[in-house]
Amino acid sequence: MNEADDAILEYFQKLETDTDHRIALPPTAVWYNLVEELSVLNRSQNTISRRMNVLADAGLLEKTDKKRGYYKITDYGLSYLRGELEARELERGKN
């Protein structure tokens, strides 16, 4: 886990609606918002896309539309952000 991973997950967490609906976005939209709009990160679009794939492999994001590449945060990702999981637990595999 690194700074970009945490920023990506936190961004998806903030997109969750009051009715617990999780918004799905492609990497390009996440990159644009985190880098261009919010200035939270200074990373390339390719880096954000690659990290989102890693987060999906770890079970923290779910790839909801494989053809278009949309992702949304999972319960596991929210548990990580709440401090219920540590990065070393992610290495053991997702739930």
Side-chain angles (χ1 to χ4, degrees):
M1 298 295 291
N2 63 38
E3 175 191 29
D5 297 340
D6 288 340
I8 292 165
L9 291 172
E10 289 167 2
Y11 183 68
F12 274 103
Q13 180 186 36
K14 289 177 183 175
L15 293 176
E16 190 171 9
T17 68
D18 292 337
T19 60
D20 294 328
H21 177 76
R22 296 175 187 163
I23 304 297
L25 292 173
T28 302
V30 175
W31 169 83
Y32 179 79
N33 284 291
L34 289 177
V35 175
E36 298 293 327
E37 289 291 322
L38 301 171
S39 300
V40 173
L41 292 172
N42 184 17
R43 303 288 168 85
S44 72
Q45 187 175 341
N46 285 337
T47 297
I48 297 301
S49 180
R50 191 171 51 253
R51 296 312 303 167
M52 287 175 69
N53 267 326
V54 169
L55 292 169
D57 288 344
L60 300 168
L61 292 180
E62 173 188 1
K63 198 168 192 177
T64 60
D65 186 328
K66 293 182 183 186
K67 184 176 180 181
R68 294 186 196 115
Y70 277 70
Y71 295 80
K72 66 182 178 179
I73 197 164
T74 64
D75 289 338
Y76 197 59
L78 292 171
S79 292
Y80 169 77
L81 290 174
R82 288 191 297 262
E84 296 168 2
L85 302 170
E86 293 191 27
R88 67 177 173 266
E89 291 180 69
L90 300 175
E91 295 172 8
R92 292 186 216 146
K94 58 185 175 182
N95 291 353

